[in-house]
Amino acid sequence: MTSTKVSKPFTNWYVLVSFAVLAGISQMLWLNFAPLISYLKSHYEVTESDINWLLIVFPLIYILLSIHSGKVIDRRGYRVSILIGGLFMSVFSCIRIFDSSFSFLLLGQIGIAIGQPYILNAISSLVVDWFPKTKQATATGIGTVGMFIGMAIALAVTPLFVDFFGFQLTLVIMAILTILATLIFYFIGHHNTDFKQTTSSSFSTTFKLLKTKNLLLLNIVSFLGLGVFNGLTSWLEQILKPFGISSEQAGIVGGSLIIGGIIGSVIIPFLSDKVGKRKPFLLFTIIGSLLLIYPVCTSGNFTFLLVLGSVLGFIFLPAFALLLSSTEELVDETVSGEATGLLLMAGNLGAVIVIDAMQFIKGEQSTWNHSVFFMLILLLIGFFLMLLFKEKAYDARENKLKN
């Protein structure tokens, strides 16, 4: 990309919002079946393990395609990559409408999952292209807010839509929203600078990136952090059940965590931009999570859990945007897509492993306390790794990196 930015007033925010909406749709399509397990079991006469494939296929495919999607972003531009993802989601969300067979539903989820990394991995390249250094963490935070809103809609709104419209019409509405979001980005989501296509096609760049100590540290922290987040949210109902918290109450607590994260993902990256540093804020998110996860997972007081869950989300979830910004600042613009792909691949790998590990560690015990301690150990490792991280500081007044 050239270095001359020619953005018109507010255009950068329009582009960012159009991306955030499509990213949110991708998260909505991923999690929209999570609150419908009982309905799907009776509707399709399948087991809970079968239904689990509708959810687990997303991180598995993300791991497989994350590096490739990053290379597409760096070679062809984030606009092409995002539209590829939007096209996959649009086509396969329509396939889900044919709900006569569980196979169509699973096929639709697989196709949507293929499109997801081509959208989400583009966030860093888009932000670098449209925003000055002093606003990039804030813009990344707003982009991730779209993802969290999509999660919240999937978990809270999907059951209401199914009750009101019916299952098939709900799938039709979601397909229409997906197509509209893709079209909106098609007309709004253009490059701010002239994109120069690169021709590198080898994986040598990938290995070179992984040899960078600071980038490797961020990838490990992403593995640990996103693993803990997915493990916590996946098992929250079961973790709280021995303390007298019902499934409905656990769902509300999970919602409060997401709502807190939406607010925190705007405020904390904004403060990071003002200070011009990422590391202190990343350490803050880890320390705060270390202090809050245990009481959240061992309390039977619903009101107390709502407050703690909101605060935990406010502190914990902004780490995602800060990790993305830190990654972007470590690499050249020409490989930012691949670097982001590596970071999110590590995070999704962490999600798959930590979710299974927590269930294994729990074993036949009546509580999940050992699994909770496991999450705390992972976060503690992440804390010490972040102490070793050396970030590139930038001068906010001059709006450039200091070497």
Side-chain angles (χ1 to χ4, degrees):
M1 295 181 190
T2 62
S3 58
T4 305
K5 298 192 185 280
V6 293
S7 56
K8 298 177 182 178
F10 303 111
T11 301
N12 52 351
W13 296 107
Y14 297 149
V15 173
L16 180 64
V17 170
S18 69
F19 165 82
V21 170
L22 195 55
I25 293 286
S26 76
Q27 300 301 92
M28 180 189 72
L29 296 176
W30 168 31
L31 294 174
N32 55 188
F33 297 131
L36 301 177
I37 292 176
S38 297
Y39 172 85
L40 294 174
K41 284 171 66 176
S42 61
H43 184 72
Y44 290 106
E45 297 181 351
V46 293
T47 66
E48 194 166 310
S49 297
D50 293 328
I51 297 169
N52 189 49
W53 278 105
L54 299 175
L55 304 175
I56 200 68
V57 70
F58 279 79
L60 290 176
I61 289 179
Y62 211 112
I63 293 167
L64 294 174
L65 294 179
S66 195
I67 293 178
H68 179 263
S69 64
K71 288 183 177 293
V72 170
I73 292 164
D74 293 333
R75 294 181 201 142
R76 303 296 302 276
Y78 59 82
R79 172 177 166 82
V80 170
S81 180
I82 293 171
L83 289 176
I84 288 173
L87 181 62
F88 265 93
M89 292 202 313
S90 297
V91 171
F92 284 90
S93 63
C94 291
I95 287 176
R96 300 195 313 175
I97 296 171
F98 302 99
D99 70 336
S100 58
S101 168
F102 182 78
S103 299
F104 279 106
L105 210 60
L106 181 58
L107 177 62
Q109 290 297 89
I110 292 172
I112 293 167
I114 290 172
Q116 191 180 62
Y118 293 90
I119 296 172
L120 301 189
N121 286 355
I123 183 170
S124 293
S125 297
L126 185 151
V127 167
V128 168
D129 187 32
W130 278 101
F131 291 87
K133 186 66 64 178
T134 51
K135 294 182 179 179
Q136 285 178 5
T138 304
T140 303
I142 292 173
T144 61
V145 161
M147 301 178 199
F148 298 142
I149 292 176
M151 293 179 187
I153 290 173
L155 298 174
V157 177
T158 304
L160 300 177
F161 270 44
V162 171
D163 288 342
F164 190 81
F165 296 108
F167 183 63
Q168 188 177 47
L169 187 53
T170 297
L171 296 182
V172 171
I173 292 171
M174 290 184 173
I176 292 172
L177 290 175
T178 305
I179 295 169
L180 288 176
T182 302
L183 289 173
I184 289 170
F185 186 84
Y186 175 80
F187 289 109
I188 294 178
H190 294 279
H191 286 278
N192 183 33
T193 54
D194 295 330
F195 180 77
K196 292 184 177 180
Q197 181 172 323
T198 60
T199 57
S200 174
S201 59
S202 70
F203 279 89
S204 60
T205 305
T206 305
F207 297 126
K208 186 176 180 180
L209 286 171
L210 288 174
K211 288 180 180 179
T212 306
K213 177 185 175 182
N214 284 326
L215 194 61
L216 181 60
L217 287 173
L218 290 179
N219 275 267
I220 298 173
V221 172
S222 175
F223 174 92
L224 298 171
L226 289 178
V228 168
F229 170 73
N230 282 276
L232 176 64
T233 53
S234 296
W235 297 117
L236 186 61
E237 177 188 349
Q238 296 299 312
I239 290 171
L240 293 177
K241 187 176 181 180
F243 300 96
I245 300 298
S246 68
S247 299
E248 291 77 11
Q249 289 175 323
I252 295 171
V253 173
S256 73
L257 189 146
I258 299 290
I259 292 171
I262 290 170
I263 299 171
S265 293
V266 175
I267 294 176
I268 292 180
F270 174 78
L271 295 175
S272 175
D273 275 337
K274 287 296 182 183
V275 174
K277 293 192 177 289
R278 312 292 179 225
K279 181 176 177 177
F281 292 90
L282 277 165
L283 288 172
F284 168 73
T285 64
I286 298 173
I287 293 170
S289 302
L290 276 168
L291 294 174
L292 291 172
I293 282 180
Y294 184 79
V296 165
C297 293
T298 55
S299 174
N301 187 313
F302 178 59
T303 303
F304 183 62
L305 283 171
L306 281 179
V307 175
L308 276 189
S310 300
V311 176
L312 175 60
F314 180 90
I315 293 173
F316 192 15
L317 270 63
F320 184 44
L322 295 173
L323 283 170
L324 288 167
S325 292
S326 298
T327 298
E328 172 270 311
E329 290 164 0
L330 283 175
V331 300
D332 187 83
E333 287 187 32
T334 58
V335 292
S336 62
E338 189 168 350
T340 301
L342 281 171
L343 186 82
L344 296 185
M345 181 186 72
N348 279 274
L349 182 61
V352 173
I353 292 176
V354 173
I355 289 171
D356 287 340
M358 286 179 66
Q359 187 178 33
F360 176 78
I361 291 169
K362 188 262 181 184
E364 300 299 322
Q365 299 169 73
S366 59
T367 71
W368 287 70
N369 285 352
H370 287 177
S371 296
V372 173
F373 288 130
F374 173 64
M375 288 192 291
L376 294 177
I377 290 170
L378 295 181
L379 287 178
L380 194 60
I381 294 171
F383 172 77
F384 286 115
L385 290 176
M386 278 309 305
L387 290 177
L388 299 175
F389 175 72
K390 298 182 184 299
E391 68 176 328
K392 287 186 176 180
Y394 67 86
D395 189 328
R397 292 168 299 178
E398 297 179 11
N399 187 30
K400 64 181 181 180
L401 285 174
K402 291 180 179 177
N403 294 322

